[in-house]
Amino acid sequence: MLVLTRKNGESIKISDDIEITIIVSKNDQVKIGIKAPKHVEIYRSEIYEQILTENQQASKDISSLLNFLKK
């Protein structure tokens, strides 16, 4: 993991088309702004993990259904 120190208003660039800016840093929270192309999906990590879990469960359900239909 790359660790950087940034002040409010400063940014980092990821490749040519993604920019992350520190909007406000106060107490134990940081507000960030992200500029990225619309095709880039951006999620909070807890939401991303939830999506992965739900997709895995859905694929299990489909496998069960396909096995049922084969009988």
Side-chain angles (χ1 to χ4, degrees):
M1 174 188 303
L2 172 66
V3 178
L4 300 171
T5 301
R6 303 275 60 202
K7 295 177 182 174
N8 291 343
E10 293 183 336
S11 301
I12 61 171
K13 293 282 287 183
I14 300 173
S15 113
D16 291 334
D17 52 2
I18 299 174
E19 182 174 2
I20 299 173
T21 303
I22 306 301
I23 305 296
V24 174
S25 172
K26 187 171 147 184
N27 299 326
D28 64 342
Q29 289 191 326
V30 176
K31 185 180 285 188
I32 60 173
I34 303 169
K35 288 183 186 173
K38 290 187 178 211
H39 69 276
V40 175
E41 296 177 345
I42 301 169
Y43 301 100
R44 287 178 280 157
S45 61
E46 63 272 18
I47 299 298
Y48 185 76
E49 294 298 324
Q50 184 178 357
I51 290 168
L52 288 179
T53 301
E54 289 177 6
N55 286 344
Q56 289 171 347
Q57 184 59 44
S59 69
K60 287 179 185 175
D61 293 344
I62 288 173
S63 295
S64 298
L65 178 61
L66 291 175
N67 288 334
F68 177 76
L69 293 174
K70 288 180 183 177
K71 294 180 182 178

